[in-house]
Structure formats: C-alpha cells, structure tokens
Amino acid sequence: MFPARPEGRVPLMCVWGAFQMARLGLELCDEFEAAGRLRVMVAAWRWAVATGAVAPADGPGGRWSSAVVDAVDGEGVRAALVLRDAFAAAERLTRALGDPLPARRPVVTARMIGDLVAAGLLVRLGGEAGTPFVHGDQVAALARRRDLPALLDRHTLLGPEQAAVRLGVRRCDLAHLTRLGMLRPARWARVDFGRARGGEVDVPLYRAWDAALLPVLRPEVDWPVLRALGPGARSPLGRLSPVPAGADDVVPLPVVAVMAGVGRATVTAWRRRHPDFPVPAVGSPSAVPVFDRGAVGRWLLTHGKVAPDTPVCS
C-alpha cells in the first residue's frame, strides 16, 4: 500500500551525525521508525510533518531524535489523518467542476492527482507517485477553490481521450492536430491495457494548458466547423500538411491580433507599452516582424489578454 523503506548507502556525514547523536544517548528515527514508535500509519506521520504538527527533523539525514518523536501526540496524529486514494480524490474534484460537466471539460483522473502532487498542490501521503494517497481535507479545500479549472489546466496532463474532450473535437481530429505539429505530447506513458486489449502501450500525454489554448494559438483552424463534425465525417485537417521538422513556428502581427481578438493597432500599442512583449524572431525584418507563436501565446495569457475558452475570431 505504501512504498517500501528506501535502501542505499548512507552519506558519511550522516553516519558521523548518527554516531554523535548515539554518543549523547539520542536514538534517530526515519519516518517509518517514527510512525512505528507512535503506532500510527506512515501516511499520518507524513501529514503531521507537512502541517507542522511535528517539529522539523533535528538529526542528520532528515531524521528525528527519539525525544522529538516521543513528544508528539500520537492520538492527535492518528485522528488528523483523512486518507483518500487518487481515484476518490479525482471523483471529488470532478464533482467540484459541475454536474453535468461544463463543455470541453474532461473528468479528473487518478493520474491527474499525481500531477497535482508534483505541482505542490497536494501532499503525497503514500502509494504510487502517479496515483498517490492524499489527504481528504486538502482535496476538499482544493475542490472549493474558484480557480480549480485553471489549476487543472496549468498543472495536469491529459491522455488522448481527455485532450480531445478539452478541445471539443473527435479523437481522430486530435490525431490530425498531433500529426500537423499543432499539438505535441509533453511526454509518453507506458500503460498496460491487459492482454485482451493489446498489453502494454505507449500513450501520449498532453499538457492540459496546451490543449486549452490551442484554439487561441491556431486561429487559422475553423474550430466551430471542426467541433461540429459528426462520426464518420471527413476532417478538414486531413488536407493540411504538417509543419516541417525544425521549422520556426512564427506569426506576423495581424495573426497575433486575430489570436487575441483585437485590432492590429492594439497589438502595436502593446509592443510599445510593454517592454516584456516578445521580441521579433531572429532574422525577422523590422518592416514585417514575425514572432514565436508560443512566446506570444504565453505573453497574451500572462497579461490576461486571452483565456483558455476565449472564442476565436473568424
């Protein structure tokens, strides 16, 4: 249920520190030994450490002296634990998004809980890193946040099905967008679907924010038409050619204006007023400058000029 106790060589300084502590009559405990000493779950000890209910480790190697451990209220540590697995936590956050779910909003998955832990929004109390155990109260607090949808977009990865939902397109159209180089996987994950379904398969994972912002970054795609296609209909993306590998993905000022849904004069004013506006791409002529598409998109987002679900100008 919880990870095995880590093994490996102990640094010489830690050995010397342990010797000094032992010489003073102080026993050192790691988190497993501390939890065992108090007769609580390791998850409960980890939560107590995360919330400050336990004093910081006072020994070398991030370990605690027996004096610190014995001073801890074991019953309080045990009572404070409200353990939830990643699947229950994902269900709780999905309910917080609304019932029914808003358009183009995929369900939260157990693996996305691991992403939220990696982002520091939840504390991992045990289990696998990808699908960890977390604290129920912390999940509930996250579910109450009004910016929960934005947090999910910023910090989670989506599988192909969820990425298609986030874009509001069919799975085959998502494959076209990937083929064209408009949406690139952030990484790949090995997933075991069982022998009957093909065994282990490498599955692409996309940043939720990349999928959410793609209609803004790619205004040349007719998104309303693409999203209205029914099963079996031919995708207009099939006629497009992919961006050559290594080619610069740049856009001129008129396209930047379309991306932001404003006039070209407004974008020109942004360039003049904001010193952090992206600089023209290397080799770009001053008369007709072009800009890195990704850099422009990040700037527009950071300055509140666009939002993930902003309608795209036609």
Side-chain angles (χ1 to χ4, degrees), residues 35-125:
R37 195 179 186 99
L38 293 177
R39 298 184 179 180
V40 301
M41 297 176 65
V42 176
W45 177 264
R46 289 175 177 169
W47 180 248
V49 172
T51 56
V54 171
D58 58 339
R63 292 181 289 177
W64 292 263
S65 67
S66 57
V68 169
V69 177
D70 292 341
V72 174
D73 177 12
E75 288 300 325
V77 169
R78 185 181 296 107
L81 180 64
V82 183
L83 200 61
R84 294 288 183 271
D85 63 35
F87 298 92
E91 184 180 355
R92 176 69 181 85
L93 294 184
T94 297
R95 292 200 308 269
L97 293 174
D99 184 17
L101 281 170
R104 299 195 296 276
R105 179 59 63 178
V107 299
V108 181
T109 65
R111 188 160 293 276
M112 291 164 69
I113 299 300
D115 297 334
L116 296 174
V117 168
L121 294 171
L122 294 171
V123 175
R124 179 189 171 209
L125 300 179

Side-chain angles (χ1 to χ4, degrees), residues 104 163-178 180-183 209-230 235-237 240 255 258-259 293 308-314:
R104 299 195 296 276
V165 171
R166 190 68 188 90
L167 277 166
V169 301
R170 302 171 303 175
R171 176 74 179 270
C172 63
D173 296 314
L174 179 76
H176 278 303
L177 293 168
T178 302
L180 294 170
M182 294 184 181
L183 185 65
W209 207 244
D210 290 344
L213 282 177
L214 191 60
V216 175
L217 298 180
R218 293 290 178 177
E220 66 270 25
V221 175
D222 193 336
W223 293 98
V225 168
L226 192 64
R227 286 167 170 164
L229 293 176
S235 175
L237 298 174
L240 303 180
V255 174
V258 174
M259 290 167 59
R293 187 189 301 269
D309 297 306
T310 298
V312 181
C313 294
S314 57

Side-chain angles (χ1 to χ4, degrees), residues 154-206:
R154 285 183 181 275
H155 300 295
T156 61
L157 297 175
L158 305 177
E161 292 290 346
Q162 292 130 356
V165 171
R166 190 68 188 90
L167 277 166
V169 301
R170 302 171 303 175
R171 176 74 179 270
C172 63
D173 296 314
L174 179 76
H176 278 303
L177 293 168
T178 302
R179 174 187 64 83
L180 294 170
M182 294 184 181
L183 185 65
R184 302 181 187 276
R187 62 182 177 87
W188 294 75
R190 176 60 63 93
V191 178
D192 188 356
F193 290 102
R195 180 176 298 180
R197 299 179 60 190
E200 292 188 349
V201 178
D202 288 326
V203 176
L205 298 178
Y206 303 88

Side-chain angles (χ1 to χ4, degrees), residues 2 13 16 19 46 61 66 90-91 93 143 166 175 192 208 233-234 240-241 245 248 256 284 288 314:
F2 294 104
M13 289 300 294
W16 174 250
F19 171 76
R46 289 175 177 169
S66 57
E91 184 180 355
L93 294 184
R166 190 68 188 90
D192 188 356
R234 180 170 297 181
L240 303 180
S241 299
D248 293 333
V256 176
S284 173
V288 188
S314 57

